[in-house]
Amino acid sequence: MKRILLLLVIIASSVATAQEFTDTRIKEMIKEYRQLDRGPYKSINWFCPDGTIRDAKDPCPEAIGEGIQHASYKKDVEELARKRNIYFAEILASNKAWSFWDGNNNHSRVKQYQLGKYLESVDNGWIQERSKFYRGAKQIEDEEEWGRKFYYTILSDNDLVERDFFLIRESLRDIPHDGDTNLAQDIRSLSKVLAERHSKFMDIRIKIHGNPQAADIESVKKWLDKNEGDISEQSKKDFNKLMSDMQEFFEPVSVKDLSKMVADWNEGAYIRTQTEWFSKFYATETDPAILVPAAANLMCDIKTNIKDDKRGTRRTNALELSIRLEELIFQQAGSWEPVDLQEHLDKIYSLSEALASAGYVEMWEWDAIESELFLANGETIKAHELLDFINTGRSQVEWGTGMVNAIYGDVVEQYSQFEPKAYGFYDDRIRSSLLLPLGDAIGNLGGLVSRQIGLTSQIASVNNVSTIRGLNPGYTKGELVVVSGNAEGMQVDPNKIYIFDHPPSDLKPVAGIATVSEGNLVSHVQLLARNLGIPNAAISIDNLNDLKELDGEEIFYAVSNRGTVVIKSASDMNDKENALFNTASKKEKKTIRIPEGKLKLDGVLPLDMAAVGSSDSGILCGPKAANLGQLKQLFPDKVVNGIVIPFGVFKDHMNQNMPETSGSYWDFLMSAFAKAKQLKADGKSEQEIIDYQLGELAILRDAISKMEFKPSFINALEADFKSILGDKLGNVPVFLRSDTNMEDLEEFTGAGLNLTVFNAVAREKVINGIREVWASPYTERSFKWRQVYLENPENVYPSILIIPTVDVDYSGVLITKDFINDNENSITVAMSRGAGGAVDGQNAETYLIDQEGKGLLISPARENKQRKLPVTGGSVMEHVDFDTSILTSQNLKTIREFAKTVHEIMPGSEDGSYTGAWDIELGFKDGKMYLFQIRPFVENTQAVNSEYLNSIDADVDVNTALLLHKPIAI
């Protein structure tokens, strides 16, 4: 009996040890460790050079060399690191440099260390709430010595300096190596803690958080003098520490001593000579209009010349100098009050240059847009030129913010699952950088110019409206929902307006949308919003936080064709705005009927894609297959072979008896929609009707997923794989793309609503993929988007396009016009690394390409992973870097020439029956361009032609000339 009990104990212990580290369990671990004196640590030990671990009172023998003393981890902490690569309370001295660099895991350990430091600063020590007092757990001398060796090692690698400049430079703020501290983070964290403890301090805390200046020290002192009698001794100590930290942070950088930081560089080295000249020439300079540009130039010199010396020691010192110069600019920027328009332009240019030199913008990106921000001196400047300048300046804030999110996103998202405070790391990082003063400078210039020409967004509760720009025109009214953090998987209400930090990838219809992370202009979600006239805008994280004041209120939201944005409480709407929602006005909304009468459903076998053309669209198959078949005929070397499963095959199988019913699959579908119409006639609510339909469609989807295929169809498909794709079914990696008759209708594209099966190889995967694609029009998301515009959504027929996989190096979308500025002389292209990213809404590299093939960079890519398509099927995500562009100058010229050719020879363009732009999906593999889809580019003309939207900024004259050197007060 005792043996049995012992065995049970051993088994129970093994089960506990082997327990998975779920997010719930990690939450429990954090809670437990916060209450323990030793926190995540087990004991203090000696760690000897030969790898042995000895008790704290038993030092390493002299014979094996001097060891180091620090804490050892609890077993669960070690297991968590081993099983989930999550590292808590890292002791740096216990690591090897390359293990901590963690290159195979996208440098996760470095970023986790930085995130852990942030959490400790904002949450009373976080996991080390009590163990921060555990004596001997860390020896700061050992940590700093390790940090120095770490940077000397990492920075000696040229490739890492090039690829990971931003991360390495940012980590210098957090990893101890020279007795330094991250004062900016400490100040924000402590002011936040004090405001939570004393609500009357909140106004000062908001000022420190949003626009910190040396004058804030006096504000804190006055507040403390006034309230000293009402606060605890601990709070008094904390307020005094806050003032001390602020005093140190705003202590003027000693310009004359900066040259000492790179004195170890060779005499005559460019970085050393430039720094010596800077220290000497500007030693007594106090004018920020002179100091900031000069410091930005020196930062740029460091960034572009740091590899001149290969020694990691010298490169570390150069980066320390770069950070010191950034602190100087941060201090001086708030004091720089431009006296005229030219100085406003100079300030934004200098801050943007410094931002790029700090790694927030890659140098190739900066080179691409520098000329747009460096405007030649003159007497006057046109308003539209200033508006373009402001847009470019705003883009630098967006690109820099995107860099923070892209580099740290994987770790922040991982930690947010078990520690919600992790999400604040983004904001903390952004506010401690030059993104803060640059955003303010752009806001100031934007406000000035807008007032001069009368072009001002009207947005309640938002401080800096210049950081908001309209993307899609439209207007709506509804409850505002402000969503911080990642909204993946969130359920949305089609009658509400949503402000997202990161919108869900499968976004269902909403009344209006604004996002911090816009993805890219030609993603499926953006195009759907544009098609349906849903107002859509890009905002900053500060704008999102400001708009929380309106969360839950009914608001009016409009975006004009020029990008002016109106957001106000519904109670503040004027008569013209109220009239938009009168019953009489609602008939303005156009609905579309699918022309089912022209369908040819007698073809019940697959077709060779090369045998179909544009004229078959909506008749035999959807526009993807029809138009790609047309492209195959016109550009045979740029289009792969393909197989089309036409509408008739789908209908033939839907006419089969549906198990557990008295009729066919098609009968079931028609009955569901007929019943919905009856429910509407009976006065049932819209939600009741939708719930009924979704329930019936779920039953239908499940039935289709098990549907039997007719032998004649399968035999023909197998034969076509061999004759058209070159090998038998089960050997060829393919894409199965849904292609319905509801796509590319007038003013409705249907882009991305139905399923694409990625890179299927196995026979069963392909066969099941056909069922999945046939079922996809009946998903909740597809159904809800269709319901917005289609009169007869029950008559949706899916065909399927099967094409062999091309494991592209990069892929994306081409729109054969500049739809941003409604300019038909330029084209728009968005490209992501790997497969499918641009259409899925990734932050893609986007250009406007003029008639000569020269590209204007609108936004760089900010996705640090790409999807690759192995020959074995499926997909894998691989890490990528941002230090080089995706598209080459030759790619841009190739795309421009192809766009011209498309308009010359596509049947609709050639015969004049179609005069609009084309929406084309394409990719490059080993420099060769492949075409995957072409369809008409669909826009919502009702929104574009709306009398109200046109009236918002109708009186603005963008050709107004403004004096550059006339003194103007903000």
Side-chain angles (χ1 to χ4, degrees), residues 210-437:
N211 184 23
Q213 293 176 308
D216 298 331
I217 302 171
E218 184 61 25
S219 298
V220 176
K221 185 178 184 303
K222 288 180 179 178
W223 190 96
L224 180 59
D225 290 342
K226 181 179 179 180
N227 297 278
E228 192 169 9
D230 302 325
I231 63 178
S232 67
E233 287 300 317
Q234 182 60 51
S235 287
K236 291 176 186 176
K237 291 180 182 178
D238 290 340
F239 273 108
N240 283 313
K241 183 179 187 307
L242 175 62
M243 288 188 288
S244 175
D245 287 349
M246 292 174 71
Q247 193 71 50
E248 183 179 349
F249 180 77
F250 286 107
E251 186 71 29
V253 173
S254 177
V255 173
K256 67 181 179 63
D257 293 329
L258 291 178
S259 59
K260 298 176 183 177
M261 299 183 72
V262 288
D264 61 334
W265 281 62
N266 290 340
E267 189 172 349
Y270 190 76
I271 286 178
R272 177 173 171 176
T273 57
Q274 289 300 104
T275 306
E276 288 173 343
W277 183 86
F278 178 88
S279 292
K280 181 178 179 181
F281 193 83
Y282 297 108
T284 59
E285 182 60 66
T286 59
D287 186 352
I290 296 174
L291 271 176
V292 170
N297 287 337
L298 184 53
M299 282 183 69
C300 189
D301 288 338
I302 294 169
K303 176 71 169 69
T304 53
N305 295 281
I306 192 170
K307 292 192 294 184
D308 287 355
D309 197 302
K310 295 182 178 180
R311 277 163 283 201
T313 51
R314 294 181 177 180
R315 291 177 175 182
T316 302
N317 292 338
L319 285 185
E320 287 287 2
L321 172 59
S322 174
I323 291 173
R324 199 74 178 125
L325 289 166
E326 184 181 358
E327 292 172 357
L328 171 64
I329 294 172
F330 198 98
Q331 291 175 359
Q332 294 289 327
S335 303
W336 186 357
E337 297 181 356
V339 298
D340 55 27
L341 267 179
Q342 184 63 59
E343 248 192 60
H344 278 288
L345 304 182
D346 294 342
K347 182 176 182 179
I348 289 172
Y349 173 86
S350 295
L351 291 173
S352 298
E353 181 185 34
L355 195 72
S357 303
Y360 288 83
V361 173
E362 296 285 357
M363 290 311 292
W364 74 265
E365 299 166 1
W366 171 246
D367 291 341
I369 58 87
E370 181 185 10
S371 61
E372 305 295 317
L373 289 175
F374 190 76
L375 298 187
N377 290 333
E379 294 301 317
T380 63
I381 186 171
K382 293 290 182 67
H384 68 83
E385 293 177 299
L386 277 173
L387 293 174
D388 289 343
F389 178 93
I390 291 167
N391 280 334
T392 304
R394 184 192 292 124
S395 74
Q396 299 311 284
V397 176
E398 293 171 0
W399 300 1
T401 301
M403 181 69 80
V404 175
N405 293 342
I407 296 300
Y408 292 103
D410 53 350
V411 168
V412 172
E413 295 300 332
Q414 181 184 38
Y415 270 57
S416 294
Q417 302 306 307
F418 52 79
E419 177 47 80
K421 287 186 173 68
Y423 214 81
F425 180 81
Y426 291 132
D427 186 60
D428 182 80
R429 223 67 203 182
I430 289 166
R431 289 185 176 281
S432 64
S433 75
L434 294 176
L435 289 164
L436 186 63

Side-chain angles (χ1 to χ4, degrees), residues 442-735:
I442 293 165
N444 288 337
L445 177 59
L448 187 154
V449 174
S450 295
R451 287 193 295 274
Q452 291 289 310
I453 64 175
L455 179 65
T456 306
S457 291
Q458 307 162 43
I459 304 170
S461 80
V462 168
N463 292 319
N464 187 356
V465 298
S466 296
T467 52
I468 294 181
R469 58 189 173 92
L471 298 175
N472 298 330
Y475 58 82
T476 189
K477 182 173 68 170
E479 180 185 331
L480 180 66
V481 180
V482 180
V483 185
S484 298
N486 195 331
E488 201 62 46
M490 177 181 173
Q491 294 296 313
V492 296
D493 186 322
N495 299 311
K496 293 182 180 180
I497 300 163
Y498 287 84
I499 308 290
F500 288 113
D501 191 343
H502 295 268
S505 57
D506 62 343
L507 183 66
K508 299 176 180 67
V510 294
I513 181 175
T515 59
V516 174
S517 166
E518 73 173 63
N520 69 75
L521 296 172
V522 294
S523 69
H524 284 150
V525 168
Q526 295 286 5
L527 290 179
L528 283 167
R530 193 173 186 87
N531 298 160
L532 300 179
I534 293 173
N536 188 4
I539 64 174
S540 71
I541 188 66
D542 283 341
N543 299 147
L544 181 143
N545 290 328
D546 290 343
L547 286 165
K548 287 178 181 178
E549 187 176 316
L550 297 177
D551 187 33
E553 286 190 29
E554 185 180 34
I555 66 162
F556 173 72
Y557 175 30
V559 177
S560 79
N561 298 305
R562 281 179 169 167
T564 302
V565 178
V566 177
I567 297 178
K568 62 171 75 172
S569 173
S571 60
D572 295 330
M573 292 166 62
N574 59 36
D575 291 342
K576 182 184 290 188
E577 291 159 348
N578 279 310
L580 297 171
F581 301 93
N582 292 340
T583 304
S585 301
K586 289 186 178 180
K587 65 182 181 182
E588 199 180 297
K589 182 176 177 180
K590 183 187 293 185
T591 57
I592 301 167
R593 184 170 187 84
I594 304 173
E596 71 272 22
K598 64 179 184 179
L599 292 170
K600 289 185 178 179
L601 302 174
D602 52 347
V604 295
L605 296 176
L607 301 171
D608 186 341
M609 184 186 74
V612 302
S614 298
S615 60
D616 297 311
S617 178
I619 299 173
L620 289 175
C621 58
K624 287 190 185 80
N627 288 327
L628 195 60
Q630 189 74 58
L631 284 178
K632 180 67 176 175
Q633 298 166 25
L634 299 172
F635 305 98
D637 63 323
K638 291 181 171 61
V639 181
V640 295
N641 293 331
I643 298 170
V644 179
I645 300 177
F647 299 140
V649 177
F650 167 74
K651 183 64 187 310
D652 187 37
H653 282 78
M654 287 290 282
N655 284 337
Q656 298 178 107
N657 183 66
M658 179 173 166
E660 301 181 18
T661 72
S662 59
S664 68
Y665 295 89
W666 192 257
D667 292 336
F668 183 90
L669 175 64
M670 293 298 106
S671 175
F673 278 92
K675 177 68 180 295
K677 290 178 182 177
Q678 184 59 51
L679 291 173
K680 184 175 182 180
D682 293 342
K684 298 297 183 182
S685 70
E686 180 181 358
Q687 190 59 51
E688 286 179 293
I689 298 170
I690 289 175
D691 289 345
Y692 165 75
Q693 288 177 295
L694 291 176
E696 295 297 284
L697 293 180
I699 294 171
L700 180 62
R701 285 200 313 276
D702 182 64
I704 292 175
S705 72
K706 303 167 187 173
M707 177 187 282
E708 292 291 331
F709 286 118
K710 293 188 174 182
S712 57
F713 165 65
I714 293 296
N715 292 337
L717 183 66
E718 289 179 328
D720 285 345
F721 258 76
K722 287 183 180 179
S723 62
I724 298 172
L725 301 186
D727 205 343
K728 68 179 183 179
L729 176 62
N731 286 356
V732 184
V734 294
F735 273 49

Side-chain angles (χ1 to χ4, degrees), residues 606 643-646 649-650 653 701 704-710 713-714 717-718 721 729 734-739 755-757 760 762-777 798-802:
I643 298 170
V644 179
I645 300 177
V649 177
F650 167 74
H653 282 78
R701 285 200 313 276
I704 292 175
S705 72
K706 303 167 187 173
M707 177 187 282
E708 292 291 331
F709 286 118
K710 293 188 174 182
F713 165 65
I714 293 296
L717 183 66
E718 289 179 328
F721 258 76
L729 176 62
V734 294
F735 273 49
L736 289 84
R737 305 195 65 176
S738 172
D739 190 20
L755 182 67
T756 291
V757 175
R763 186 180 188 279
E764 280 308 304
K765 180 70 174 174
V766 175
I767 297 299
N768 287 331
I770 294 171
R771 297 186 180 100
E772 291 171 11
V773 172
W774 277 352
S776 67
S799 62
I800 300 177
L801 173 62
I802 302 177

Side-chain angles (χ1 to χ4, degrees), residues 927-960:
K928 179 181 177 182
M929 185 170 72
Y930 288 85
L931 308 176
F932 301 119
Q933 180 173 306
I934 184 169
R935 65 199 304 144
F937 176 62
V938 183
E939 296 188 88
N940 187 291
T941 57
Q942 284 181 291
V944 173
N945 297 325
S946 165
E947 182 180 343
Y948 168 74
L949 294 180
N950 290 330
S951 73
I952 292 176
D953 40 31
D955 297 332
V956 174
D957 182 4
V958 294
N959 289 311
T960 300

